[in-house]
């Protein structure tokens, strides 16, 4: 999968993109990036990328010309991949959206700064607008990294089979239950005996039940949208009666 990032702060990306899982994914040839400084597409002496809003008011607006020129130069016109603007006005990102976008071979991510981008960028260049949550950041760079991170771990081959994404919280429609590692006892707190029993069937059942308990306690609304087996429903009734 290839990402083209368009930003006025391109220097923030390499440290994260060249670490850990994303570094390995690049080394395996599963992931690649183009990081583009929108300022490189300005035509004027001072390389201006923003200007005052028509009609007055506070804040600066990112000018359309360098953004159009950068994206059209790198991606082509008409574009052959989604051009995503990161903005608090976008559709709120979630795991379903991550799964949908992870099927794309290439994505362009446009990171806004200041008060926003000229409306003509939204209307005539961008194909999607995504928000990472109902709060406002100073720019789209961190949201872009979050989106890339969420998508990267869904690319086949990036995570090992052992710790794949299939059982992630949200991927199953349930939150994951508790995890433990060594030591078996720490400060008098024991790892549940069932996890050490070696009985894979019982461990799987316990994990499913813990996921149901945790989801019921923390995000009960998720249970409405999730496919539950007969066994799950029986267990859920037990939870509701406080008998789990
Ligand atoms: N830019 C500023 N805030 C943002 C948010 N919440 N999501 C995406 N892009 C943003």
């Amino acid at each position: 999968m290839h990402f083209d990032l368009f930003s006025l702060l391109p220097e923030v990306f390499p440290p994260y993109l060249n670490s850990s899982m994303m570094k390995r994914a690049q080394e395996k040839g599963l992931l690649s990036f183009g990081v583009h400084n929108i300022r490189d597409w300005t035509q004027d002496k001072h390389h201006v990328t923003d200007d005052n809003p028509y009609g007055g008011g506070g804040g600066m607006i990112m000018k359309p010309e360098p953004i159009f020129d950068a994206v059209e130069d790198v991606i082509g016109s008409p574009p052959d991949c989604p051009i995503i603007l990161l903005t608090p006005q976008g559709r709120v990102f979630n795991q379903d959206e991550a799964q949908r976008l992870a099927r794309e071979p290439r994505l362009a991510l446009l990171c806004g700064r200041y008060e926003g981008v000229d409306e003509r960028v939204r209307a005539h260049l961008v194909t999607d607008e995504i928000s990472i949550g109902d709060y406002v950041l100073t720019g789209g760079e961190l949201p872009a990294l979050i989106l890339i991170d969420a998508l990267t771990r869904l690319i086949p081959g990036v995570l090992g089979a052992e710790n794949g994404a299939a059982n992630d919280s949200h991927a199953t429609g349930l939150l994951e239950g508790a995890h433990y590692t060594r030591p078996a006892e720490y400060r008098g707190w024991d790892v549940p005996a069932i996890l050490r029993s070696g009985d894979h069937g019982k461990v799987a059942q316990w994990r499913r039940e813990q996921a149901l308990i945790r989801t019921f306690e923390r995000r009960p609304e998720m249970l409405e949208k999730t496919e539950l087996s007969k066994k799950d429903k029986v267990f859920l009734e037990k939870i509701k009666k406080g008998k789990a």
Side-chain angles (χ1 to χ4, degrees), residues 85-90 112 130-141 143-144:
L85 175 67
L86 284 310
T87 163
Q89 297 186 7
I130 290 183
S131 163
I132 58 152
D134 289 341
Y135 42 84
V136 181
L137 304 169
T138 53
E141 285 77 11

Side-chain angles (χ1 to χ4, degrees), residues 172-235:
T172 58
L174 297 177
L175 300 180
E176 273 190 277
H179 296 293
Y180 295 88
T181 186
R182 276 186 280 264
E185 189 245 294
Y186 178 64
R187 296 190 176 185
W189 302 311
D190 289 328
V191 172
I194 200 157
L195 291 177
R196 299 161 58 207
S197 68
D199 184 331
H200 298 302
K202 280 202 177 131
V203 169
Q205 178 61 22
W206 183 86
R207 287 200 169 131
R208 183 74 186 172
E209 291 174 1
Q210 294 300 307
L212 287 165
I213 292 171
R214 189 155 287 194
T215 310
F216 178 77
E217 287 172 350
R218 300 184 183 197
R219 297 288 303 276
E221 82 285 0
M222 284 172 67
L223 293 168
E224 312 290 316
K225 294 181 230 144
T226 298
E227 217 173 293
L228 298 173
S229 69
K230 227 170 167 179
K231 215 169 175 180
D232 290 337
K233 287 180 189 159
V234 170
F235 188 74

